[in-house]
Amino acid sequence: MSNRTYLDFAATTPTDPSVLAAMLPYFSEKYGNPSSIHSFGQETRAAIEAARQQVAGLIAAKPEEIVFTSGGTEADNQALEGIAWANEKNGNHIICSAIEHHAVLHCAEFLKKRGFAVTVVPVDQDGLVSPEAVAQAITPKTVLVSVMHANNEIGTVEPIREISEVIGRRTKDEGRKIYFHTDAVQTAGHLPINVAELGVDLLSISAHKLYGPKGIGALYIKKGTRLTPFLHGGGQENNRRASTENVPGIVGFGAAADLAAQTMAEENAKLLPLRDKLIKGLTTLIPDVRLNGHASVRLPNNVNVSVKFIEGESMLLNLDMLGIAASSGSACTSGSLDPSHVLLAIGLPHEIAHGSLRFTLGKQTTEAEIDLVLEKLPPIVDKLRRMSPLYPGGKK
Amino acid sequence: MSNRTYLDFAATTPTDPSVLAAMLPYFSEKYGNPSSIHSFGQETRAAIEAARQQVAGLIAAKPEEIVFTSGGTEADNQALEGIAWANEKNGNHIICSAIEHHAVLHCAEFLKKRGFAVTVVPVDQDGLVSPEAVAQAITPKTVLVSVMHANNEIGTVEPIREISEVIGRRTKDEGRKIYFHTDAVQTAGHLPINVAELGVDLLSISAHKLYGPKGIGALYIKKGTRLTPFLHGGGQENNRRASTENVPGIVGFGAAADLAAQTMAEENAKLLPLRDKLIKGLTTLIPDVRLNGHASVRLPNNVNVSVKFIEGESMLLNLDMLGIAASSGSACTSGSLDPSHVLLAIGLPHEIAHGSLRFTLGKQTTEAEIDLVLEKLPPIVDKLRRMSPLYPGGKK
Amino acid sequence: MSMGPYSAKVMDHFMNPRNVGVIENPDGVGEVGNPVCGDIMKMFIKVKDNIITDVKFQTFGCGSAIATSSMATELIKGKTIEEALKLTNVAVAEALDGLPKIKMHCSVLAEEAVQAAIDDYLKKTTGKGLPGFKPHDEPLQEH
Amino acid sequence: MSMGPYSAKVMDHFMNPRNVGVIENPDGVGEVGNPVCGDIMKMFIKVKDNIITDVKFQTFGCGSAIATSSMATELIKGKTIEEALKLTNVAVAEALDGLPKIKMHCSVLAEEAVQAAIDDYLKKTTGKGLPGFKPHDEPLQEH
Ligand SMILES: Cc1ncc(COP(=O)(O)O)c(C=O)c1O
Ligand SMILES: Cc1ncc(COP(=O)(O)O)c(C=O)c1O
């Protein structure tokens, strides 16, 4: 199908053709198991070590600090469970924000059933986590704090460095390490990242959010950080992640990381005005529309609005009939009927939360596509509002 | 590099070109997130459901009984931890065989640290698990038995159906479910499998062992089996495995499963005589060589021999210099210096275990390659034996 | 273009819903659902000689909420009160060529909206409502 | 073809090991390692006027075990006993352009094999062995 408009880049991105090209030899030609001692194994081993350098480079880490995973979810799960199990004897308290991805929140729930205590720190109406609130949540039992780098639904970028500073201070006071994890799935490859400057011990990435393939991700693990492996088995990834390496996926991830490092600045320079045009258009052309997330401290590609009186899926379906792909809430949960926990956390009432739309822009996005949305959405909203029992203007 | 001879198909297989072709559209063209409601998401959702049918078909399961994972290791870990956590209240005892893959054994070790008791059932000199021994190991606290379908190192095929029968009897006696898991990573796509006939509740598969891509696998979960998810996060895979689906990997796995179902009989008819020629040649041309694993109840592509007085890696390196790729012990552990736990379990002394070689045949294997091994290996053995302090013939 | 997770029939009733709107001076009005679960259906009926002569609806909700509302109005228009009361959620879903499992609760809402309107009509005309009628006010879907 | 995980120097000494074999009536013989760890090295020396005039080895073990044995014999041939005793495992590994981390224990074995042969030689000639010499008999690698 051609002529479709994809504005759901936060859900997933197309694999860049150059990335796919880098991967291709590793399926049927260079297929050795990297753990094998023979030439077939040595050539794929070299390929994954080169990719490790590329991924490390994207976040200014050392290659040996990168462990490849099957995606962002595994990276998040590995971070939480890995630190929790390895530090059980030092404490059983975990802190995360209210707007973390379910890969963090549901994993924290799992640990809660296994004897851990979890504090969920709230956010303000813009979706910002307060470093002070994190500081106050820390107890003598806290072993891990997890706050995402930027939220996948509303695009708010969190003050990770400031949070790391308060954690650092409390670590000193307590005389014992409190680990800090950030889920950078929405920022890696999109915003410049330097792990030392951010001050994090652990950082999650997922390749398919940065024009790499699906099913591959990484966890940055600061040198010296001990964590219990999540996948148990062979000695791969320096005994930190068992299972035969997804060689083509890793190679693709490396290529995507390289490409992102090169094109990030240029991409963002293109996306920012498009994002702002869309925000301005939606909020001025359609009455009773509000922008969700912080007005300026937000991802350069994220637009999230609530359209009062109507529901999100019905807007999405109408847009889809016109070939426009957007999302309401996060892709992972769009099969669910619950309103987004993120939108509730920023204080939206249920019916407004149900009426949210997310447009996330990317490499392929053109101004014509933004104009198309601004042309097509208002009549859709109008039609749905006229159907809605909540719309004051609907009753004659 | 051309003219190389790959005889390490049990470590990993090349992705079949037809499989890669099936995957290709799902990188850069059909890239939607299957959880998305729009057309981009619906087309990939349809693709993974079609692949689920193909994989289910390979083992005579229902599509809804298949959960995709990142590989064999995750499938094994999900089976063990999933059953363990979900049944904690019913019992805390797990049984596995001494020759399980580390993905089972190390996961059992992890659970042992978390309060579970683990019984490791020994094997006989051919690597066979005795159903009687399993029956005797069952206690009122047993929740799970895990015995692999065929061993990856020595190729012995286990009596799964017989073991399932004794477990079924004990389940009746105990009046409570004892789950049965089998790691079929080495058999799926290579031997006909019918989960109902095998009588298992859980079965692990890894695509890269059957000419599919690396980084994708599946766990068969018999209808009605409740298990705690291993990866926590979004609602993918019917709430059983969070994380954005590896769409190209899943599509490739499906294509590989289909292909395997079609070609299995023919492949095995080709491999059996080649395997037997290699076994016969090695054991007759070289003195003091023994076959490891069962003489007849073994995988059609597996040859594992111990060459007395010399060490495995030195043979591998010599073979590799001639372009012949083989393995000593399992690929996953060939970076390790411990002798294989499987070879020790069948009763080999350490120095004999250290001197083992595994040749595993596959689609591309030709008789000329078998002849090449039979021509090249004897002089290598001769040379190394003449260097060995253990070799009686070496002292003039 | 794609039809998302829905049948062609659902998409037709969603994109071109029948009987949308408000009836002035209705003989019965029912409203079911709530903002928490994300679906609200309001149904208006006109009744003459025990026959539903006109019906209109307003819905806040997802695609299937709108489609089931539309289909339900079609299925009861011109029917007697007794016939309309026999309408089940399964019948609505079947008339739409099925609904995704997680959307079946919408058809329940549609059934209840019809009953709520009739309940209101009966109250107004006979002084007492539909015996035993009490719509769900909790989200109905599986969690 | 590939050289596996090893340097070209390691592969050269592995494929073409120097000084393989047995010395009849040696002045000293040492054997270190054991079958459990998978490496056994046996070293034979001929000594004349405190100088190691000939040396041979036999090794059961992996590629680096053979290469380090070979290199160690090269490094002590023609040297005095005192010079040979100064040979360290690090020197052996460096002479081979490095070894993978998990194979460093092989170089330790090679150093010890030299010392064991000299210990035997000293016992035979002076009646007492190398002061404090006691080779590892446990596997040395990390687990
Ligand atoms: C912020 C965030 N964290 C984690 C994930 C999970 O990543 P994956 O789907 O690759 O497992 C996602 C996306 O789905 C995300 O947006
Ligand atoms: C029997 C067996 N189980 C499990 C595994 C693990 O599979 P994977 O490497 O795909 O995680 C393997 C292969 O490595 C295997 O041979």
Side-chain angles (χ1 to χ4, degrees), chain A residues 4 8 15 27-28 31 35 38-39 77 88 106 114 214 232-233 320 331 334, chain B residues 4 8 15 27-28 31 35 38-39 77 88 106 114 214 232-233 320 334:
Chain A
R4 288 188 296 173
D8 202 9
T15 301
F27 286 101
S28 312
Y31 55 82
S35 296
H38 48 62
S39 63
N77 280 224
E88 252 182 311
H106 289 172
R114 318 243 82 82
K214 293 174 176 64
H232 310 282
D320 188 42
S334 71
Chain B
R4 289 188 296 172
D8 202 8
T15 301
F27 287 100
S28 312
Y31 55 83
S35 297
H38 47 61
S39 63
N77 280 225
E88 252 182 310
H106 289 172
R114 316 244 83 81
K214 294 175 175 62
H232 310 282
D320 189 42
S334 71

mmCIF file of all heavy atoms in Angstrom, chain A residues 4 8 15 27-28 31 35 38-39 77 88 106 114 214 232-233 320 331 334, chain B residues 4 8 15 27-28 31 35 38-39 77 88 106 114 214 232-233 320 334:
data_model
loop_
_atom_site.group_PDB
_atom_site.id
_atom_site.type_symbol
_atom_site.label_atom_id
_atom_site.label_comp_id
_atom_site.label_asym_id
_atom_site.label_seq_id
_atom_site.Cartn_x
_atom_site.Cartn_y
_atom_site.Cartn_z
ATOM 1 N N ARG A 4 0.383 5.928 2.250
ATOM 2 C CA ARG A 4 -0.038 5.938 3.634
ATOM 3 C C ARG A 4 0.871 6.877 4.410
ATOM 4 O O ARG A 4 2.018 7.100 4.041
ATOM 5 C CB ARG A 4 0.030 4.537 4.229
ATOM 6 C CG ARG A 4 -1.065 3.630 3.678
ATOM 7 C CD ARG A 4 -1.105 2.312 4.418
ATOM 8 N NE ARG A 4 0.131 1.559 4.231
ATOM 9 C CZ ARG A 4 0.402 0.437 4.884
ATOM 10 N NH1 ARG A 4 -0.452 -0.045 5.780
ATOM 11 N NH2 ARG A 4 1.531 -0.202 4.664
ATOM 12 N N ASP A 8 3.599 7.095 13.684
ATOM 13 C CA ASP A 8 3.622 6.275 14.887
ATOM 14 C C ASP A 8 5.044 5.763 15.134
ATOM 15 O O ASP A 8 5.252 4.622 15.538
ATOM 16 C CB ASP A 8 2.625 5.112 14.718
ATOM 17 C CG ASP A 8 2.177 4.537 16.051
ATOM 18 O OD1 ASP A 8 2.498 5.130 17.106
ATOM 19 O OD2 ASP A 8 1.507 3.485 16.049
ATOM 20 N N THR A 15 13.093 -0.433 9.628
ATOM 21 C CA THR A 15 14.524 -0.665 9.615
ATOM 22 C C THR A 15 15.119 0.110 8.437
ATOM 23 O O THR A 15 14.644 -0.019 7.307
ATOM 24 C CB THR A 15 14.819 -2.167 9.466
ATOM 25 O OG1 THR A 15 14.198 -2.842 10.560
ATOM 26 C CG2 THR A 15 16.311 -2.447 9.489
ATOM 27 N N PHE A 27 22.789 -13.815 7.778
ATOM 28 C CA PHE A 27 21.741 -14.837 7.848
ATOM 29 C C PHE A 27 22.230 -16.161 7.242
ATOM 30 O O PHE A 27 22.300 -17.166 7.937
ATOM 31 C CB PHE A 27 20.479 -14.364 7.114
ATOM 32 C CG PHE A 27 19.724 -13.308 7.870
ATOM 33 C CD1 PHE A 27 19.837 -11.963 7.526
ATOM 34 C CD2 PHE A 27 18.899 -13.658 8.924
ATOM 35 C CE1 PHE A 27 19.132 -10.987 8.220
ATOM 36 C CE2 PHE A 27 18.194 -12.690 9.629
ATOM 37 C CZ PHE A 27 18.316 -11.358 9.281
ATOM 38 N N SER A 28 22.575 -16.116 5.959
ATOM 39 C CA SER A 28 22.820 -17.376 5.252
ATOM 40 C C SER A 28 24.277 -17.583 4.864
ATOM 41 O O SER A 28 24.656 -18.670 4.452
ATOM 42 C CB SER A 28 21.946 -17.434 3.996
ATOM 43 O OG SER A 28 20.614 -17.083 4.311
ATOM 44 N N TYR A 31 27.081 -17.321 9.157
ATOM 45 C CA TYR A 31 26.038 -17.780 10.070
ATOM 46 C C TYR A 31 26.599 -18.473 11.303
ATOM 47 O O TYR A 31 25.853 -18.983 12.134
ATOM 48 C CB TYR A 31 25.087 -18.723 9.333
ATOM 49 C CG TYR A 31 25.788 -19.896 8.679
ATOM 50 C CD1 TYR A 31 26.117 -21.020 9.417
ATOM 51 C CD2 TYR A 31 26.144 -19.872 7.336
ATOM 52 C CE1 TYR A 31 26.777 -22.087 8.831
ATOM 53 C CE2 TYR A 31 26.809 -20.932 6.745
ATOM 54 C CZ TYR A 31 27.123 -22.040 7.493
ATOM 55 O OH TYR A 31 27.784 -23.071 6.923
ATOM 56 N N SER A 35 30.046 -18.360 19.616
ATOM 57 C CA SER A 35 30.767 -19.075 20.667
ATOM 58 C C SER A 35 31.671 -20.160 20.101
ATOM 59 O O SER A 35 32.447 -20.753 20.834
ATOM 60 C CB SER A 35 29.780 -19.741 21.636
ATOM 61 O OG SER A 35 29.013 -18.775 22.298
ATOM 62 N N HIS A 38 35.804 -22.160 15.636
ATOM 63 C CA HIS A 38 36.247 -22.220 14.239
ATOM 64 C C HIS A 38 35.993 -20.911 13.494
ATOM 65 O O HIS A 38 35.401 -19.980 14.039
ATOM 66 C CB HIS A 38 35.575 -23.394 13.531
ATOM 67 C CG HIS A 38 34.101 -23.476 13.753
ATOM 68 N ND1 HIS A 38 33.234 -22.493 13.358
ATOM 69 C CD2 HIS A 38 33.341 -24.424 14.376
ATOM 70 C CE1 HIS A 38 32.002 -22.836 13.697
ATOM 71 N NE2 HIS A 38 32.032 -23.998 14.332
ATOM 72 N N SER A 39 36.444 -20.883 12.245
ATOM 73 C CA SER A 39 36.397 -19.638 11.476
ATOM 74 C C SER A 39 34.978 -19.097 11.330
ATOM 75 O O SER A 39 34.775 -17.887 11.353
ATOM 76 C CB SER A 39 37.002 -19.862 10.093
ATOM 77 O OG SER A 39 36.242 -20.819 9.372
ATOM 78 N N ASN A 77 13.703 -5.371 32.381
ATOM 79 C CA ASN A 77 13.531 -6.486 33.327
ATOM 80 C C ASN A 77 14.879 -6.903 33.905
ATOM 81 O O ASN A 77 15.012 -7.154 35.100
ATOM 82 C CB ASN A 77 12.871 -7.687 32.641
ATOM 83 C CG ASN A 77 11.360 -7.555 32.493
ATOM 84 O OD1 ASN A 77 10.624 -8.481 32.743
ATOM 85 N ND2 ASN A 77 10.865 -6.395 32.087
ATOM 86 N N GLU A 88 19.714 -8.271 47.203
ATOM 87 C CA GLU A 88 18.718 -8.699 48.191
ATOM 88 C C GLU A 88 19.169 -8.496 49.628
ATOM 89 O O GLU A 88 18.388 -8.133 50.488
ATOM 90 C CB GLU A 88 18.504 -10.200 48.014
ATOM 91 C CG GLU A 88 17.216 -10.590 47.420
ATOM 92 C CD GLU A 88 17.145 -12.116 47.361
ATOM 93 O OE1 GLU A 88 18.115 -12.750 46.886
ATOM 94 O OE2 GLU A 88 16.140 -12.648 47.796
ATOM 95 N N HIS A 106 5.444 -3.313 35.556
ATOM 96 C CA HIS A 106 4.977 -4.684 35.783
ATOM 97 C C HIS A 106 6.084 -5.565 36.346
ATOM 98 O O HIS A 106 5.827 -6.514 37.085
ATOM 99 C CB HIS A 106 4.390 -5.272 34.496
ATOM 100 C CG HIS A 106 3.072 -4.643 34.123
ATOM 101 N ND1 HIS A 106 2.433 -4.890 32.934
ATOM 102 C CD2 HIS A 106 2.282 -3.772 34.804
ATOM 103 C CE1 HIS A 106 1.296 -4.191 32.886
ATOM 104 N NE2 HIS A 106 1.197 -3.500 34.002
ATOM 105 N N ARG A 114 7.494 -10.951 45.253
ATOM 106 C CA ARG A 114 8.615 -11.758 45.739
ATOM 107 C C ARG A 114 9.347 -11.074 46.897
ATOM 108 O O ARG A 114 10.520 -11.315 47.132
ATOM 109 C CB ARG A 114 9.618 -12.034 44.622
ATOM 110 C CG ARG A 114 9.018 -12.395 43.271
ATOM 111 C CD ARG A 114 9.383 -13.779 42.838
ATOM 112 N NE ARG A 114 8.509 -14.750 43.465
ATOM 113 C CZ ARG A 114 7.295 -15.068 43.028
ATOM 114 N NH1 ARG A 114 6.795 -14.513 41.961
ATOM 115 N NH2 ARG A 114 6.576 -15.952 43.667
ATOM 116 N N LYS A 214 13.622 -5.115 14.940
ATOM 117 C CA LYS A 214 12.880 -5.520 16.133
ATOM 118 C C LYS A 214 13.553 -6.738 16.775
ATOM 119 O O LYS A 214 14.193 -7.525 16.106
ATOM 120 C CB LYS A 214 11.449 -5.875 15.759
ATOM 121 C CG LYS A 214 10.634 -4.682 15.280
ATOM 122 C CD LYS A 214 9.260 -5.118 14.781
ATOM 123 C CE LYS A 214 8.410 -3.915 14.394
ATOM 124 N NZ LYS A 214 8.994 -3.152 13.250
ATOM 125 N N HIS A 232 19.407 -17.492 32.109
ATOM 126 C CA HIS A 232 20.389 -18.434 32.630
ATOM 127 C C HIS A 232 20.678 -19.503 31.587
ATOM 128 O O HIS A 232 19.755 -20.048 30.994
ATOM 129 C CB HIS A 232 19.856 -19.097 33.895
ATOM 130 C CG HIS A 232 19.326 -18.110 34.885
ATOM 131 N ND1 HIS A 232 20.158 -17.359 35.690
ATOM 132 C CD2 HIS A 232 18.075 -17.700 35.164
ATOM 133 C CE1 HIS A 232 19.418 -16.550 36.433
ATOM 134 N NE2 HIS A 232 18.145 -16.740 36.139
ATOM 135 N N GLY A 233 21.948 -19.814 31.388
ATOM 136 C CA GLY A 233 22.300 -20.856 30.418
ATOM 137 C C GLY A 233 23.774 -20.784 30.078
ATOM 138 O O GLY A 233 24.619 -20.818 30.970
ATOM 139 N N ASP A 320 -7.148 6.032 10.171
ATOM 140 C CA ASP A 320 -6.613 4.878 9.461
ATOM 141 C C ASP A 320 -7.344 4.660 8.140
ATOM 142 O O ASP A 320 -6.731 4.265 7.143
ATOM 143 C CB ASP A 320 -6.732 3.631 10.361
ATOM 144 C CG ASP A 320 -6.013 2.427 9.773
ATOM 145 O OD1 ASP A 320 -4.885 2.604 9.258
ATOM 146 O OD2 ASP A 320 -6.562 1.317 9.818
ATOM 147 N N ALA A 331 1.672 1.999 22.119
ATOM 148 C CA ALA A 331 1.320 0.915 21.211
ATOM 149 C C ALA A 331 1.122 -0.389 21.955
ATOM 150 O O ALA A 331 0.239 -1.172 21.630
ATOM 151 C CB ALA A 331 2.404 0.749 20.160
ATOM 152 N N SER A 334 -2.357 -0.589 23.352
ATOM 153 C CA SER A 334 -3.523 -0.128 22.620
ATOM 154 C C SER A 334 -4.524 -1.268 22.441
ATOM 155 O O SER A 334 -5.655 -1.032 22.063
ATOM 156 C CB SER A 334 -3.134 0.506 21.294
ATOM 157 O OG SER A 334 -2.699 -0.469 20.404
ATOM 158 N N ARG B 4 34.976 -24.158 2.524
ATOM 159 C CA ARG B 4 35.022 -24.576 3.909
ATOM 160 C C ARG B 4 33.972 -25.655 4.149
ATOM 161 O O ARG B 4 32.971 -25.732 3.437
ATOM 162 C CB ARG B 4 34.754 -23.380 4.833
ATOM 163 C CG ARG B 4 35.899 -22.394 4.854
ATOM 164 C CD ARG B 4 35.693 -21.327 5.906
ATOM 165 N NE ARG B 4 34.522 -20.512 5.616
ATOM 166 C CZ ARG B 4 34.034 -19.603 6.456
ATOM 167 N NH1 ARG B 4 34.604 -19.405 7.637
ATOM 168 N NH2 ARG B 4 32.974 -18.880 6.134
ATOM 169 N N ASP B 8 28.985 -28.289 11.999
ATOM 170 C CA ASP B 8 28.620 -27.831 13.338
ATOM 171 C C ASP B 8 27.163 -27.358 13.337
ATOM 172 O O ASP B 8 26.818 -26.352 13.959
ATOM 173 C CB ASP B 8 29.577 -26.703 13.755
ATOM 174 C CG ASP B 8 29.649 -26.521 15.270
ATOM 175 O OD1 ASP B 8 29.086 -27.361 16.005
ATOM 176 O OD2 ASP B 8 30.271 -25.538 15.714
ATOM 177 N N THR B 15 20.547 -19.611 7.887
ATOM 178 C CA THR B 15 19.145 -19.342 7.578
ATOM 179 C C THR B 15 18.906 -19.737 6.131
ATOM 180 O O THR B 15 19.645 -19.321 5.235
ATOM 181 C CB THR B 15 18.849 -17.842 7.774
ATOM 182 O OG1 THR B 15 19.138 -17.510 9.132
ATOM 183 C CG2 THR B 15 17.395 -17.516 7.490
ATOM 184 N N PHE B 27 11.166 -5.890 7.369
ATOM 185 C CA PHE B 27 12.125 -4.965 7.970
ATOM 186 C C PHE B 27 11.762 -3.513 7.646
ATOM 187 O O PHE B 27 11.490 -2.724 8.550
ATOM 188 C CB PHE B 27 13.544 -5.274 7.487
ATOM 189 C CG PHE B 27 14.123 -6.521 8.096
ATOM 190 C CD1 PHE B 27 14.133 -7.717 7.396
ATOM 191 C CD2 PHE B 27 14.658 -6.498 9.373
ATOM 192 C CE1 PHE B 27 14.664 -8.875 7.967
ATOM 193 C CE2 PHE B 27 15.190 -7.642 9.956
ATOM 194 C CZ PHE B 27 15.192 -8.835 9.248
ATOM 195 N N SER B 28 11.756 -3.196 6.379
ATOM 196 C CA SER B 28 11.650 -1.784 5.998
ATOM 197 C C SER B 28 10.329 -1.435 5.324
ATOM 198 O O SER B 28 10.013 -0.265 5.148
ATOM 199 C CB SER B 28 12.809 -1.420 5.061
ATOM 200 O OG SER B 28 14.033 -1.890 5.595
ATOM 201 N N TYR B 31 6.525 -2.745 8.519
ATOM 202 C CA TYR B 31 7.282 -2.589 9.759
ATOM 203 C C TYR B 31 6.408 -2.245 10.961
ATOM 204 O O TYR B 31 6.911 -2.012 12.048
ATOM 205 C CB TYR B 31 8.349 -1.509 9.575
ATOM 206 C CG TYR B 31 7.807 -0.182 9.109
ATOM 207 C CD1 TYR B 31 7.276 0.725 10.028
ATOM 208 C CD2 TYR B 31 7.791 0.153 7.767
ATOM 209 C CE1 TYR B 31 6.750 1.937 9.608
ATOM 210 C CE2 TYR B 31 7.260 1.360 7.333
ATOM 211 C CZ TYR B 31 6.747 2.253 8.250
ATOM 212 O OH TYR B 31 6.219 3.438 7.849
ATOM 213 N N SER B 35 1.000 -4.524 17.755
ATOM 214 C CA SER B 35 0.005 -4.094 18.740
ATOM 215 C C SER B 35 -0.759 -2.860 18.277
ATOM 216 O O SER B 35 -1.720 -2.457 18.933
ATOM 217 C CB SER B 35 0.685 -3.754 20.076
ATOM 218 O OG SER B 35 1.297 -4.881 20.621
ATOM 219 N N HIS B 38 -3.699 0.432 13.654
ATOM 220 C CA HIS B 38 -3.778 0.892 12.266
ATOM 221 C C HIS B 38 -3.286 -0.161 11.278
ATOM 222 O O HIS B 38 -2.804 -1.216 11.670
ATOM 223 C CB HIS B 38 -3.002 2.205 12.093
ATOM 224 C CG HIS B 38 -1.638 2.181 12.702
ATOM 225 N ND1 HIS B 38 -0.657 1.312 12.307
ATOM 226 C CD2 HIS B 38 -1.099 2.901 13.727
ATOM 227 C CE1 HIS B 38 0.431 1.516 13.030
ATOM 228 N NE2 HIS B 38 0.186 2.467 13.909
ATOM 229 N N SER B 39 -3.404 0.169 9.996
ATOM 230 C CA SER B 39 -3.120 -0.806 8.948
ATOM 231 C C SER B 39 -1.694 -1.345 9.026
ATOM 232 O O SER B 39 -1.453 -2.528 8.774
ATOM 233 C CB SER B 39 -3.359 -0.172 7.571
ATOM 234 O OG SER B 39 -2.471 0.916 7.363
ATOM 235 N N ASN B 77 14.002 -21.084 30.194
ATOM 236 C CA ASN B 77 13.890 -20.281 31.420
ATOM 237 C C ASN B 77 12.426 -19.977 31.732
ATOM 238 O O ASN B 77 11.986 -20.061 32.876
ATOM 239 C CB ASN B 77 14.662 -18.966 31.276
ATOM 240 C CG ASN B 77 16.163 -19.106 31.485
ATOM 241 O OD1 ASN B 77 16.774 -18.305 32.177
ATOM 242 N ND2 ASN B 77 16.794 -20.107 30.906
ATOM 243 N N GLU B 88 4.332 -22.155 43.208
ATOM 244 C CA GLU B 88 5.017 -22.044 44.490
ATOM 245 C C GLU B 88 4.219 -22.623 45.659
ATOM 246 O O GLU B 88 4.783 -23.227 46.562
ATOM 247 C CB GLU B 88 5.210 -20.558 44.793
ATOM 248 C CG GLU B 88 6.591 -20.051 44.673
ATOM 249 C CD GLU B 88 6.601 -18.569 45.068
ATOM 250 O OE1 GLU B 88 5.779 -17.806 44.548
ATOM 251 O OE2 GLU B 88 7.443 -18.214 45.900
ATOM 252 N N HIS B 106 21.260 -24.229 34.660
ATOM 253 C CA HIS B 106 21.608 -22.992 35.370
ATOM 254 C C HIS B 106 20.357 -22.261 35.847
ATOM 255 O O HIS B 106 20.387 -21.561 36.860
ATOM 256 C CB HIS B 106 22.478 -22.098 34.489
ATOM 257 C CG HIS B 106 23.868 -22.642 34.310
ATOM 258 N ND1 HIS B 106 24.778 -22.098 33.440
ATOM 259 C CD2 HIS B 106 24.505 -23.689 34.895
ATOM 260 C CE1 HIS B 106 25.910 -22.786 33.479
ATOM 261 N NE2 HIS B 106 25.768 -23.754 34.364
ATOM 262 N N ARG B 114 16.522 -19.472 45.233
ATOM 263 C CA ARG B 114 15.290 -18.781 45.616
ATOM 264 C C ARG B 114 14.325 -19.722 46.316
ATOM 265 O O ARG B 114 13.131 -19.509 46.315
ATOM 266 C CB ARG B 114 14.604 -18.184 44.390
ATOM 267 C CG ARG B 114 15.497 -17.477 43.394
ATOM 268 C CD ARG B 114 15.169 -16.018 43.289
ATOM 269 N NE ARG B 114 15.819 -15.283 44.352
ATOM 270 C CZ ARG B 114 17.093 -14.897 44.319
ATOM 271 N NH1 ARG B 114 17.858 -15.176 43.304
ATOM 272 N NH2 ARG B 114 17.602 -14.246 45.337
ATOM 273 N N LYS B 214 18.510 -16.566 13.965
ATOM 274 C CA LYS B 214 18.915 -16.521 15.367
ATOM 275 C C LYS B 214 18.064 -15.493 16.117
ATOM 276 O O LYS B 214 17.591 -14.531 15.536
ATOM 277 C CB LYS B 214 20.385 -16.120 15.481
ATOM 278 C CG LYS B 214 21.340 -17.152 14.898
ATOM 279 C CD LYS B 214 22.776 -16.642 14.930
ATOM 280 C CE LYS B 214 23.757 -17.718 14.457
ATOM 281 N NZ LYS B 214 23.517 -18.123 13.033
ATOM 282 N N HIS B 232 8.119 -9.156 31.806
ATOM 283 C CA HIS B 232 7.000 -8.362 32.296
ATOM 284 C C HIS B 232 6.944 -7.037 31.553
ATOM 285 O O HIS B 232 7.973 -6.380 31.400
ATOM 286 C CB HIS B 232 7.160 -8.092 33.788
ATOM 287 C CG HIS B 232 7.451 -9.329 34.578
ATOM 288 N ND1 HIS B 232 6.488 -10.240 34.911
ATOM 289 C CD2 HIS B 232 8.619 -9.820 35.047
ATOM 290 C CE1 HIS B 232 7.040 -11.231 35.573
ATOM 291 N NE2 HIS B 232 8.340 -11.012 35.668
ATOM 292 N N GLY B 233 5.761 -6.637 31.131
ATOM 293 C CA GLY B 233 5.638 -5.355 30.442
ATOM 294 C C GLY B 233 4.312 -5.279 29.722
ATOM 295 O O GLY B 233 3.264 -5.473 30.348
ATOM 296 N N ASP B 320 40.226 -26.716 11.747
ATOM 297 C CA ASP B 320 39.854 -25.381 11.278
ATOM 298 C C ASP B 320 40.876 -24.841 10.292
ATOM 299 O O ASP B 320 40.523 -24.164 9.319
ATOM 300 C CB ASP B 320 39.702 -24.433 12.480
ATOM 301 C CG ASP B 320 39.113 -23.077 12.085
ATOM 302 O OD1 ASP B 320 38.164 -23.058 11.270
ATOM 303 O OD2 ASP B 320 39.600 -22.051 12.574
ATOM 304 N N SER B 334 32.075 -23.831 24.608
ATOM 305 C CA SER B 334 33.406 -24.123 24.104
ATOM 306 C C SER B 334 34.393 -23.025 24.490
ATOM 307 O O SER B 334 35.587 -23.195 24.356
ATOM 308 C CB SER B 334 33.386 -24.347 22.595
ATOM 309 O OG SER B 334 33.147 -23.133 21.943
#
